[in-house]
Amino acid sequence: MDREKMLSNPQETIRVIKENEFTFRKNYGQNFLIDSHVIDKIVAAAEIDKETDVLEIGPGIGTLTQYLAEAARSVTAVEIDDKLIPILGKTLSEYDNVKVIHGDIMKQDVAAIFDGKPFKIVANLPYYITTPIIMSLLELRVPADSITVMIQKEVADRMKAGPGSKDYGALSLAVQYYCEPYLAANVPPNCFMPRPQVGSAVIRLKILDKPSVEVKDEKLLFKIIRGAFNQRRKTLANAVANFEGLSFTRSEVEEALSNLGFDTRVRGEALTLEEFGKLSDELGSLKAGE
Ligand code: SAM
């Protein structure tokens, strides 16, 4: 399609919105892209070619979808807003490799859509639900190669942060357990209609073949991580001992820490994912040996 006629041209977006009397729904996190350079960056970061099948979350009026349809073998787009479904029928009518599903991404059996075959996830995500969408895709271990998404800059920073940084926390560790994150671009509010209140970023999460650390009990690891960052200012031993989801005493956590050669007053933010893994196995074996 001629670029001038694509929805990345703000005039086209305004025309489609007016013609269809569409009103933006804030509760669905609707901020449509109106910048072709940003969309090119998303498609390039996702490394899409004519052998790629793409899952798009929240196509809106189809702005990113048009670019994905031109670059990929196929695009399956899941949109929750019923008012957008007839509009997508028109804006994507030129493409025979796009399928739109009307529904909530949180309720879709994503792996079944692709029959168990590999695919890539690409989206300008609705910001009200960014973290739940990404974490549920990762925890369900959907057979995707990568997730390339536009999200709030602040969330992107947390996803890629390492120990010692103020952004480092449970989200960094959860994402880095499953993926290798790469920040592809920072995006200012004027690239969207309407403009969001916050800065945005494009992040690519390359999903690892197996988790980046091996632990005996994955659930225990994530409970310890949640506990450690639940009370950031406390020592790790205190925070974990106070955490409702676990039943370790402070001295048990201190014992595990010193068995591993750590200062017993260490804080969670100082430990790497690998070190959390070791702590989890140590605490698990302390309990098992009771
Ligand atoms: N992809 C379009 C673009 O870049 O211009 C629109 C992106 S907009 C930030 C987010 C889109 O996700 C909206 O179209 C919204 O209606 C849709 N959405 C919100 N929650 C959803 C959900 N739970 N499942 C599927 N789509 C959702």
Side-chain angles (χ1 to χ4, degrees), residues 84-96:
L84 288 169
I85 305 302
I87 301 179
L88 287 164
K90 293 185 243 176
T91 59
L92 301 173
S93 62
E94 269 198 28
Y95 303 103
D96 59 8

Side-chain angles (χ1 to χ4, degrees), residues 22 25 27-34 39 42 56-65 78-81 84 101 103-107 123-129 133 150 192-193:
F22 176 74
R25 290 171 78 166
N27 57 330
Y28 281 155
Q30 293 175 340
N31 300 95
F32 299 163
L33 276 163
I34 47 163
I39 304 177
I42 299 175
E56 189 194 359
I57 301 164
I61 56 172
T63 316
L64 173 59
T65 328
V78 179
E79 173 56 59
I80 199 168
D81 187 349
L84 288 169
I101 297 176
D104 179 347
I105 190 65
M106 298 297 282
K107 295 183 184 147
N124 169 18
L125 282 179
Y127 292 177
Y128 76 101
I129 195 176
I133 290 177
M150 176 85 73
F192 303 85
M193 186 188 295

Side-chain angles (χ1 to χ4, degrees), residues 79-202:
E79 173 56 59
I80 199 168
D81 187 349
D82 53 349
K83 300 275 192 311
L84 288 169
I85 305 302
I87 301 179
L88 287 164
K90 293 185 243 176
T91 59
L92 301 173
S93 62
E94 269 198 28
Y95 303 103
D96 59 8
N97 59 344
V98 179
K99 184 176 153 197
V100 174
I101 297 176
H102 178 211
D104 179 347
I105 190 65
M106 298 297 282
K107 295 183 184 147
Q108 295 294 315
D109 182 350
V110 170
I113 296 176
F114 294 90
D115 226 358
K117 295 199 191 82
F119 59 96
K120 291 183 176 177
I121 300 173
V122 184
N124 169 18
L125 282 179
Y127 292 177
Y128 76 101
I129 195 176
T130 305
T131 308
I133 290 177
I134 294 179
M135 286 320 301
S136 100
L137 293 167
L138 295 176
E139 282 163 11
L140 289 169
R141 292 193 153 83
V142 294
D145 296 329
S146 59
I147 303 178
T148 305
V149 280
M150 176 85 73
I151 58 178
Q152 302 94 306
K153 164 91 174 99
E154 171 251 328
V155 180
D157 287 341
R158 285 200 276 136
M159 286 183 176
K160 66 175 189 42
S165 140
K166 68 170 176 26
D167 296 321
Y168 186 58
L171 182 64
S172 328
L173 288 156
V175 164
Q176 291 165 31
Y177 179 76
Y178 296 104
C179 315
E180 191 188 319
Y182 164 72
L183 189 82
N186 288 320
V187 181
N190 63 1
C191 297
F192 303 85
M193 186 188 295
R195 293 180 183 194
Q197 308 264 321
V198 293
S200 305
V202 179

